[in-house]
Amino acid sequence: MDTKEEVLAILEELTGENLADQMDENIFDDGLLDSMASVQMLLSLQEKFGIDVPVSEFSREDWDTPAKIVAKVESLENE
């Protein structure tokens, strides 16, 4: 699986929805993720990809769509 597929699998596990066709939908505005689920998402992403995303540096605006999450994970993987 590539990064996009892995991120979508994590999001599907958290939201119960396949978001592959909704890459630019705001998952917070749509009620698919809340504060607790976003913490779980970060923990899952950190575990899966070996990246470090301190909750204190988490900004919803940077992580509010599946496309942004994939891009963020890819950029953190390349650091």
Side-chain angles (χ1 to χ4, degrees):
M1 269 195 214
D2 66 5
T3 300
K4 178 181 174 183
E5 290 172 341
E6 295 283 359
V7 168
L8 287 172
I10 290 170
L11 290 173
E12 184 171 359
E13 186 177 308
L14 291 170
T15 65
E17 293 193 27
N18 182 337
L19 301 174
D21 294 332
Q22 303 172 53
M23 293 300 291
D24 295 314
E25 294 294 317
N26 188 310
I27 55 180
F28 294 102
D29 288 351
D30 291 348
L32 297 174
L33 281 187
D34 58 15
S35 297
M36 290 300 292
S38 63
V39 171
Q40 183 58 47
M41 174 188 71
L42 290 177
L43 292 172
S44 296
L45 293 172
Q46 290 178 144
E47 182 179 314
K48 184 69 175 180
F49 296 102
I51 59 175
D52 185 35
V53 185
V55 175
S56 60
E57 295 178 19
F58 176 79
S59 168
R60 273 192 183 186
E61 294 78 35
D62 295 334
W63 297 81
D64 61 1
T65 69
K68 287 182 183 178
I69 295 168
V70 170
K72 198 77 164 156
V73 168
E74 289 174 341
S75 74
L76 290 169
E77 278 185 305
N78 294 324
E79 283 187 354

